[in-house]
Amino acid sequence: MNGTSPLAPTHFPDLPAIAGVTLRVARARYKNWDRCDLTYVELAEGTAVAGVTTRNLCCSTEVEMCREGIARGSARALIVNAGNSNAFTGYRGREAVELIMTAVSGHLGCAKEDVFVCSTGVIGVPLPKDKARDGLAAAFEASPCTWEEAANTILTTDTFAKGAMAQAVIGDRTVNIVGIAKGSGMIAPDMATMLAYVFTDAAVEPAILQAMLSSANRDTFNSITVDSDTSTSDTLLVFATAKAGNPIIRRMDDCGADALAAAIRSVCRDLAHQIVRDGEGASKFVAISVTGAKSDSSAKRIGLAIANSPLVKTAIAGEDANWGRVVMAVGKAGEPADRDRLAISFGDTVVARDGLPVDGYDETPVAAHLKGQDIRIHVDIGLGEGQATVWTCDLTHGYISINADYRS
Amino acid sequence: MNGTSPLAPTHFPDLPAIAGVTLRVARARYKNWDRCDLTYVELAEGTAVAGVTTRNLCCSTEVEMCREGIARGSARALIVNAGNSNAFTGYRGREAVELIMTAVSGHLGCAKEDVFVCSTGVIGVPLPKDKARDGLAAAFEASPCTWEEAANTILTTDTFAKGAMAQAVIGDRTVNIVGIAKGSGMIAPDMATMLAYVFTDAAVEPAILQAMLSSANRDTFNSITVDSDTSTSDTLLVFATAKAGNPIIRRMDDCGADALAAAIRSVCRDLAHQIVRDGEGASKFVAISVTGAKSDSSAKRIGLAIANSPLVKTAIAGEDANWGRVVMAVGKAGEPADRDRLAISFGDTVVARDGLPVDGYDETPVAAHLKGQDIRIHVDIGLGEGQATVWTCDLTHGYISINADYRS
């Protein structure tokens, strides 16, 4: 693990307990390290689950089995293994996941299908069954731990633990929503993210929970990119324990559904931004907003073309207001765009408009903005009403250093 | 300009003169430098032209006007400006191009539309008309120069001049084909390349020349990527002066058409590989071949997903046989693939097969291969007959250094 990202929050947030959620961690020693790397979350009976998983076609066994569990809609436990993604490990990898599911279902006396397993780390090495078995046995015996301990235990190359919370009022009850996440490389949209887990004590039916999560995911985890790479293991799960005592939400127009959806979205956005802030080698957090596109989806594709451009990302690392590279990225997105109607701003300064540099714009506030850690780029396409915001980080020597070395 | 790429050829090739092609260079001083930066190529009457240009929607005026000239099929001159791409400069940029076309057509007494203008360099600064005018005047007066001088004059961030040649026999005549090119960043497929010019003394009709060029382009310039970014100015032009005395080629089944097409493809491939070898910061040349895909186009998309993955490229920079990242890239390509049928080789060693690492494969030849400068990765998808090869370079600290600084 490298030094903490300069974009990290000053401290891990205070997060409330969620009734029906018990966290434990243990040392499975999946790698040659002395830290907790197995997280075991016990969930109350009656917990609903929803989720989004990677679209990478070479996904891990864990992802395939999470998808089956999500389709059933109920959960009793979550296991997260850190240090080994168990991806591309064929039948041997599958055996390890089956072993974990069987052990946990035996321990809890629940259906095997109610056990969710995720793994993150190196690809291509089967998860060692003996370490998983011993780690689980230790986790079963461990005392419950804090959110921060669990958030630390799921990390791999991350430089800080990621947590977030929100509340929502449903009828006369206040429900809590807490999330933890990990991820700092191999981050790109069209997937959930690396790993993110959201827990709430709200009572909500799985189908509605899924609708809320899918909608939140679109504008949060699926709107971030660190390096355009899509992991084979990415999983976002939300668990609702129904312990808050609110009348169960069965439809999107039920009382409090909007509030719960907004709170889930807020937690997802907070975690997604933290993942970008921990982007490998990141020195700047970049928000790219696109307006005036033909549609929202067109705006998002343009935003991601900018966010994924190595030339834009290196320019930001160099604190260079190189809007020419932004023009290039808009043009390569393949979406409707008219060079002569484009306007581009850095921070609050319009630097180009109507296909031309703005004559004699004041470079002082632009330079000052680019020296900061939070960069805003706004592109107006000038063609329609579509808009989107995406988030990324800059591309620095740190990214190269981290990724030219990392393996096993 | 940085030090010469470690992947550069040892010397510029010996290139024959092409009858009907006269090269001159001059100092327009588009930037604050003391080097030739304006290339003027005079072409004999009756020269046919074909071309491929960037698909970037925010392309330069030069590209738009080259497209018009390509549609007409005849050429008398080529002007290449280095140091200023004149892209995203609106009507002011267009005026500069018109000025150049008018000046050259006046000098040669030819149609304005027979003058081809290309510019490369910084985006968003209108090409200064006075410098263009003075540079042209100097070029008109200059003595003819060599291919190497012209190849040097069109460069910007390149670290070496790029040239290539081939010959073809058409009936009882041997025709010559010579190409020069520039480009080392903002290189990605779905465009021509940066700038590449091919000259031949063969007699061939423009429509057939276009067919030969488009076909060659697909497997050469459109199969390379340095950084996945697509320039706003990329242009590949081929000029045929008809001075060799061969019977003019009017159809693809005419005598010698195959030989000419093969020679043009050979020159394009050589230049395309040289561009990758001059990729910004490149320390290794990487050939990625994909077989067993559902179709050739599917194989190419998978190959490019691997070639554009920052995680694959940094692993190669680190001489790490990290085939897990290759699996990830295959999966994110979105093309038909079955994790459990994939096979992956580095050099001549199969490291993964049937969705599993090959037990106990010999790491010695793999490590030795990765220490070299020419890296081969082979992926067999195991589903069909589709195949493609793409070429890229690794992603190093050098790329960051070059691009976090470069502007004006």
Side-chain angles (χ1 to χ4, degrees):
Chain A
M1 200 177 296
N2 293 268
T4 303
S5 166
L7 306 176
T10 51
H11 57 84
F12 192 81
D14 287 331
L15 301 178
I18 301 287
V21 177
T22 309
L23 310 165
R24 292 181 173 86
V25 297
R27 285 170 170 75
R29 296 197 167 80
Y30 290 122
K31 294 182 70 170
N32 183 24
W33 55 21
D34 184 37
R35 50 161 272 199
C36 288
D37 52 8
L38 186 151
T39 307
Y40 165 49
V41 184
E42 188 180 330
L43 300 159
E45 281 189 56
T47 294
V49 64
V52 187
T53 57
T54 184
R55 292 189 200 165
N56 191 304
L57 291 171
C58 295
C59 67
S60 65
T61 292
E62 280 82 340
V63 167
E64 290 174 334
M65 301 191 74
C66 277
R67 286 177 187 152
E68 294 175 18
I70 291 164
R72 294 177 71 254
S74 63
R76 284 299 310 285
L78 166 69
I79 307 294
V80 185
N81 305 302
N84 183 324
S85 77
N86 199 36
F88 207 69
T89 55
Y91 69 92
R92 286 181 291 181
R94 187 165 189 103
E95 286 174 0
V97 180
E98 298 267 5
L99 178 148
I100 293 172
M101 293 170 74
T102 302
V104 176
S105 68
H107 178 71
L108 290 178
C110 70
K112 194 176 135 191
E113 294 77 12
D114 283 345
V115 178
F116 287 73
V117 181
C118 300
S119 302
T120 174
V122 69
I123 295 175
V125 180
L127 193 76
K129 285 186 275 192
D130 53 340
K131 292 186 178 176
R133 189 185 295 112
D134 294 350
L136 267 184
F140 293 155
E141 299 298 315
S143 302
C145 71
T146 64
W147 286 114
E148 186 167 4
E149 287 172 283
N152 269 302
T153 301
I154 65 174
L155 303 186
T156 56
T157 60
D158 305 58
T159 75
F160 63 88
K162 297 162 187 71
M165 70 150 299
Q167 291 186 316
V169 175
I170 304 176
D172 61 352
R173 302 297 169 118
T174 296
V175 303
N176 289 301
I177 301 96
V178 164
I180 60 175
K182 65 86 54 179
S184 75
M186 220 186 268
I187 300 290
D190 282 339
M191 58 167 201
T193 171
M194 293 296 279
L195 299 177
Y197 307 105
V198 178
F199 303 88
T200 176
D201 49 4
V204 50
E205 287 213 334
I208 300 302
L209 192 62
Q210 184 67 49
M212 291 175 177
L213 186 72
S214 296
S215 171
N217 179 58
R218 207 161 32 239
D219 304 329
T220 60
F221 292 111
N222 267 1
S223 291
I224 64 171
T225 177
V226 168
D227 57 10
S228 80
D229 276 339
T230 306
S231 158
T232 47
S233 305
D234 303 332
T235 304
L236 163 63
L237 297 172
V238 56
F239 302 98
T241 63
K243 292 293 184 189
N246 65 290
I248 185 164
I249 294 176
R250 298 183 194 277
R251 295 159 28 126
M252 278 306 291
D253 54 3
D254 278 356
C255 166
D258 279 356
L260 180 61
I264 289 173
R265 181 183 304 267
S266 165
V267 168
C268 287
R269 181 179 296 118
D270 192 340
L271 292 174
H273 286 190
Q274 289 187 54
I275 286 172
V276 172
R277 287 181 181 280
D278 205 6
E280 289 174 339
S283 74
K284 297 183 191 281
F285 178 84
V286 187
I288 297 165
S289 58
V290 177
T291 57
K294 280 282 193 188
S295 67
D296 288 354
S297 58
S298 177
K300 186 166 171 179
R301 278 190 287 270
I302 291 169
L304 288 170
I306 300 167
N308 278 324
S309 162
L311 288 171
V312 171
K313 294 160 83 84
T314 46
I316 293 168
E319 304 183 344
D320 173 11
N322 196 321
W323 54 267
R325 295 183 183 175
V326 177
V327 174
M328 174 280 299
V330 171
K332 82 165 182 169
E335 293 296 317
D338 178 344
R339 182 187 66 196
D340 296 335
R341 303 180 81 156
L342 281 185
I344 298 170
S345 306
F346 284 88
D348 299 318
T349 310
V350 182
V351 298
R353 183 185 284 135
D354 299 332
L356 282 170
V358 172
D359 261 330
Y361 71 82
D362 186 359
E363 293 208 14
T364 313
V366 175
H369 182 73
L370 283 161
K371 286 201 182 305
Q373 284 189 333
D374 282 83
I375 308 299
R376 286 176 291 116
I377 298 176
H378 176 216
V379 177
D380 189 82
I381 306 297
L383 293 181
E385 302 294 319
Q387 53 182 289
T389 299
V390 304
W391 298 275
T392 190
C393 55
D394 54 346
L395 173 58
T396 69
H397 286 288
Y399 185 86
I400 308 293
S401 298
I402 292 166
N403 286 299
D405 299 331
Y406 177 72
R407 192 174 73 140
S408 69
Chain B
M1 199 178 293
N2 295 269
T4 303
S5 166
L7 306 177
T10 51
H11 58 85
F12 192 81
D14 286 330
L15 301 178
I18 301 287
V21 177
T22 310
L23 310 165
R24 292 182 172 85
V25 297
R27 285 170 170 73
R29 296 197 166 82
Y30 290 123
K31 294 181 70 170
N32 182 24
W33 55 21
D34 184 36
R35 50 160 272 199
C36 289
D37 52 6
L38 185 151
T39 307
Y40 165 50
V41 184
E42 187 181 330
L43 301 159
E45 282 189 57
T47 295
V49 63
V52 187
T53 57
T54 183
R55 293 189 199 165
N56 192 303
L57 292 171
C58 294
C59 68
S60 66
T61 292
E62 281 83 339
V63 168
E64 291 174 335
M65 303 191 72
C66 278
R67 286 178 188 152
E68 294 174 19
I70 292 164
R72 293 177 72 252
S74 64
R76 285 298 312 283
L78 166 69
I79 308 294
V80 186
N81 304 302
N84 183 325
S85 78
N86 199 36
F88 208 67
T89 55
Y91 69 92
R92 287 182 289 181
R94 188 165 188 101
E95 286 173 359
V97 180
E98 298 267 5
L99 179 147
I100 293 172
M101 293 170 74
T102 302
V104 176
S105 67
H107 179 71
L108 289 179
C110 70
K112 194 175 134 191
E113 294 76 12
D114 283 344
V115 179
F116 287 73
V117 182
C118 301
S119 302
T120 174
V122 68
I123 295 175
V125 179
L127 193 75
K129 285 186 274 191
D130 53 341
K131 292 185 179 178
R133 189 184 296 115
D134 294 350
L136 268 184
F140 292 156
E141 299 298 315
S143 303
C145 72
T146 64
W147 287 114
E148 186 166 6
E149 286 171 282
N152 269 303
T153 301
I154 65 175
L155 304 185
T156 55
T157 59
D158 305 57
T159 75
F160 63 87
K162 297 163 187 72
M165 70 150 298
Q167 291 186 315
V169 175
I170 305 177
D172 61 352
R173 302 297 170 119
T174 296
V175 302
N176 290 303
I177 300 96
V178 165
I180 60 174
K182 64 85 54 179
S184 75
M186 218 185 271
I187 301 290
D190 282 341
M191 57 166 200
T193 171
M194 293 296 278
L195 299 178
Y197 307 104
V198 178
F199 303 88
T200 176
D201 48 5
V204 51
E205 288 214 336
I208 299 302
L209 192 61
Q210 183 67 49
M212 291 175 178
L213 187 71
S214 296
S215 170
N217 179 58
R218 205 160 37 239
D219 304 329
T220 60
F221 293 111
N222 267 1
S223 291
I224 63 171
T225 178
V226 168
D227 56 10
S228 81
D229 276 338
T230 306
S231 159
T232 47
S233 305
D234 302 333
T235 303
L236 163 62
L237 297 172
V238 56
F239 302 99
T241 63
K243 292 291 184 193
N246 64 289
I248 186 165
I249 295 176
R250 299 182 193 279
R251 298 159 25 128
M252 280 306 290
D253 55 4
D254 277 354
C255 165
D258 279 357
L260 180 61
I264 290 174
R265 181 183 304 268
S266 165
V267 169
C268 288
R269 180 179 296 116
D270 193 339
L271 293 174
H273 286 191
Q274 289 186 53
I275 287 173
V276 172
R277 288 183 180 279
D278 206 6
E280 289 174 339
S283 74
K284 293 176 193 289
F285 178 83
V286 188
I288 299 165
S289 58
V290 177
T291 56
K294 281 281 192 187
S295 67
D296 288 354
S297 58
S298 177
K300 186 165 172 181
R301 278 190 287 272
I302 291 169
L304 288 171
I306 299 168
N308 279 322
S309 162
L311 288 170
V312 170
K313 292 161 84 82
T314 46
I316 293 167
E319 303 183 344
D320 173 11
N322 195 321
W323 54 269
R325 294 183 183 176
V326 177
V327 174
M328 174 279 299
V330 172
K332 83 166 182 170
E335 292 298 315
D338 178 343
R339 182 186 66 197
D340 296 336
R341 302 179 81 156
L342 282 186
I344 297 169
S345 305
F346 285 87
D348 299 318
T349 310
V350 182
V351 298
R353 184 185 285 136
D354 300 333
L356 281 170
V358 172
D359 262 330
Y361 71 83
D362 185 358
E363 293 207 16
T364 312
V366 176
H369 181 73
L370 283 161
K371 284 200 185 306
Q373 284 189 333
D374 282 84
I375 308 299
R376 285 175 291 117
I377 299 176
H378 175 216
V379 178
D380 189 82
I381 306 298
L383 293 180
E385 302 294 320
Q387 53 183 287
T389 300
V390 303
W391 298 275
T392 190
C393 55
D394 55 345
L395 174 57
T396 68
H397 286 288
Y399 184 86
I400 307 293
S401 298
I402 292 166
N403 286 299
D405 298 332
Y406 178 70
R407 192 174 72 139
S408 65

